[in-house]
Amino acid sequence: MSRIRHTSLGLALITATLVVATPPASADAVCSCTVEEARLDRAAPQEILRRGGFDGVAPEFARALAGAESYREAERAVVRHGARLWREAVDRAQGRHVRGDLSRDDDRPLYWARLGMTRELRAWQPEFRLDETGRNRLLDRLERSSRGQDSIRFARGGPTGKGVKRILMTGFDPFTLDRAVRISNPSGATALALDGTVIRTADGGLARIETAVFPVRWQDFADGTVERTLRDQLPKADLFTTVSQGRIGRFDIERFNGAWRGGFADNENLSRTETVPVDDPATQPQWTATTLPYASIVGADTGRFPVRDNTAVTEIPAGGTAPVTRADGPTPGSTARAGGGGDYLSNEIAYRATLLRDRLGLRELPGGHVHTPVLQFGAGNTDPATGAVTDAEFVRNRVDIIAQVRAIIAVAAS
């Protein structure tokens, strides 16, 4: 095992190579499912599903699969139930249909309900022949439809005419779940709260926001999930921002993104330490940069958390061999070891999105990464093993973070 120095829950700088992290020994080992799905049987996820009103999602999906008599019928059921899960999570977050007693801004019912569905699909044995390729295709359709990745529609409903700007925003699943299985991710909560909404920008105009959520898994990123979701949407957008959880007590506008994976374990307890794998690696830059109006964002009053223009990176200087941390960005010819957003998937989604922007010839399109504060529980609810799944301060912190991301977008879109 390597020694990892954490700058936050969302940022990790690794000091040695890690290949695969061994899942913790528990009753989960008997589950014929993924590491991520196995956590479903713990008490906190079950309470979150029940109190969020999503405990019936996976059983209903299983019944739909059982009724499918062909692959085509199964595919229709997968897409229908995946899309419905996303719509119901968005409706819950925006107050249109709130079941259960968890605060409506909670992102966790969506996360755990999706895992319940993928576990059902992975275990399903239909009467017709279903090979591994076909099952994986169904799993992919379920992932995309239940994350809003295939339902981004800037022309869908509401004001979308001349003068209404189009904003694309992405968030993430909860992560570091073996450390604290009750954890929430404010970026995913923000995506649910803002999807399809129209906001007033700081200059008095209107902007429509479309969102999607991404998994915390290295392999999905290597398989191109970011590019597949964003490639057709960036040319239609007036601004985009990837969002993730970052450091305690502050927002960061990350100025530079690095082409390096630092090895921190993902939600499957797998690790990757390598150059970020992208198409056409021969033309791959070591660094990409934000085009968000960071000075305007930092200078605006957007909420109770301070907002910082973060220009720090870790690089191997040209001709050197050892990593060096620099406060003022990369030097010419250097090799990336961490962007401002670290060397985990926060940095990687920012790198991939901004690289895609540049490769599509959209270098003037405002876009980049925003790190939110770490979402913290109340002072009396800090034990990750025995603590309550929610409390008043936890909800207040998440609501305030969501509101501040909305305000940051309003400034950026002006």
Side-chain angles (χ1 to χ4, degrees):
M1 293 290 290
S2 64
R3 293 181 296 109
I4 298 176
R5 175 170 57 86
H6 297 283
T7 56
S8 77
L9 286 178
L11 306 167
L13 302 179
I14 191 161
T15 57
T17 301
L18 179 66
V19 179
V20 177
T22 303
S26 72
D28 295 343
V30 302
C31 179
S32 58
C33 49
T34 69
V35 169
E36 202 168 10
E37 292 162 357
R39 299 186 184 102
L40 262 169
D41 296 324
R42 300 178 187 178
Q46 290 301 309
E47 180 181 352
I48 289 165
L49 283 170
R50 184 178 65 256
R51 295 181 61 185
F54 279 32
D55 51 332
V57 168
E60 184 176 352
F61 177 59
R63 289 191 291 272
L65 286 177
E69 298 180 351
S70 67
Y71 188 88
R72 186 181 296 272
E73 288 184 14
E75 188 172 32
R76 284 199 294 265
V78 163
V79 173
R80 182 174 68 253
H81 283 263
R84 187 169 77 179
L85 176 60
W86 174 256
R87 288 195 306 271
E88 289 182 352
V90 169
D91 285 345
R92 189 181 194 281
Q94 297 179 17
R96 287 186 289 272
H97 185 198
V98 181
R99 294 174 292 179
D101 67 351
L102 284 183
S103 175
R104 77 182 204 188
D105 51 275
D106 204 312
D107 60 306
R108 297 171 296 175
L110 168 65
Y111 174 71
W112 293 111
R114 182 192 302 113
L115 286 175
M117 294 173 71
T118 59
R119 187 163 73 171
E120 292 290 351
L121 180 52
R122 213 177 297 278
W124 175 52
Q125 298 298 323
E127 294 296 324
F128 58 88
R129 182 175 179 274
L130 179 64
D131 60 16
E132 183 180 2
T133 299
R135 192 184 301 272
N136 287 340
R137 190 181 305 119
L138 292 176
L139 285 162
D140 179 69
R141 295 298 303 274
L142 178 55
E143 285 280 344
R144 288 180 57 75
S145 60
S146 65
R147 293 179 176 281
Q149 293 177 1
D150 61 0
S151 61
I152 298 169
R153 302 285 189 275
F154 284 114
R156 177 185 61 196
T160 56
K162 185 177 181 181
V164 179
K165 293 185 176 179
R166 294 162 294 185
I167 312 298
L168 183 59
M169 176 250 159
T170 69
F172 272 107
D173 287 348
F175 65 112
T176 63
L177 292 148
D178 287 330
R179 177 187 300 164
V181 74
R182 61 181 182 155
I183 202 166
S184 167
N185 193 321
S187 69
T190 302
L192 294 176
L194 298 188
D195 187 50
T197 63
V198 176
I199 64 170
R200 182 73 63 178
T201 63
D203 61 0
L206 294 176
R208 181 183 176 87
I209 304 174
E210 290 286 318
T211 73
V213 171
F214 285 91
V216 183
R217 296 190 296 252
W218 293 111
Q219 189 59 51
D220 293 66
F221 277 55
D223 290 341
T225 185
V226 174
E227 291 81 359
R228 183 167 50 159
T229 301
L230 302 186
R231 182 174 288 109
D232 291 339
Q233 303 304 328
L234 290 188
K236 305 173 188 176
D238 296 299
L239 180 144
F240 71 91
T241 180
T242 54
V243 181
S244 66
Q245 179 176 248
R247 301 168 178 89
I248 293 174
R250 74 174 198 243
F251 278 85
D252 288 278
I253 311 302
E254 305 297 355
R255 190 86 74 87
F256 301 103
N257 318 297
W260 185 250
R261 297 174 147 193
F264 189 56
D266 65 9
N267 277 352
E268 285 293 316
N269 287 340
L270 298 176
S271 175
R272 298 289 185 271
T273 305
E274 60 189 355
T275 299
V276 172
V278 298
D279 292 339
D280 194 11
T283 66
Q284 177 180 11
Q286 285 294 303
W287 306 98
T288 63
T290 189
T291 45
L292 291 173
Y294 49 85
S296 297
I297 296 170
V298 170
D301 180 8
T302 55
R304 72 178 171 101
F305 296 101
V307 182
R308 193 181 79 159
D309 169 23
N310 184 26
T311 59
V313 299
T314 301
E315 66 175 16
I316 299 176
T321 58
V324 176
T325 299
R326 294 179 52 85
D328 54 353
T331 56
S334 67
T335 301
R337 282 300 177 265
D343 55 12
Y344 195 37
L345 288 164
S346 294
N347 168 77
E348 183 160 333
I349 196 170
Y351 178 84
R352 289 180 177 275
T354 50
L355 177 61
L356 181 62
R357 172 202 64 197
D358 296 346
R359 285 182 165 180
L360 290 173
L362 303 171
R363 292 179 181 272
E364 301 303 314
L365 175 65
H369 193 75
V370 175
H371 258 125
T372 75
V374 173
L375 179 57
Q376 295 180 295
F377 286 90
N381 184 24
T382 57
D383 190 316
T386 63
V389 299
T390 191
D391 60 55
E393 187 174 344
F394 178 68
V395 172
R396 174 179 174 256
N397 288 336
R398 187 168 52 212
V399 169
D400 286 353
I401 290 170
I402 292 169
Q404 195 158 350
V405 174
R406 183 189 290 111
I408 285 171
I409 291 174
V411 171
S414 296

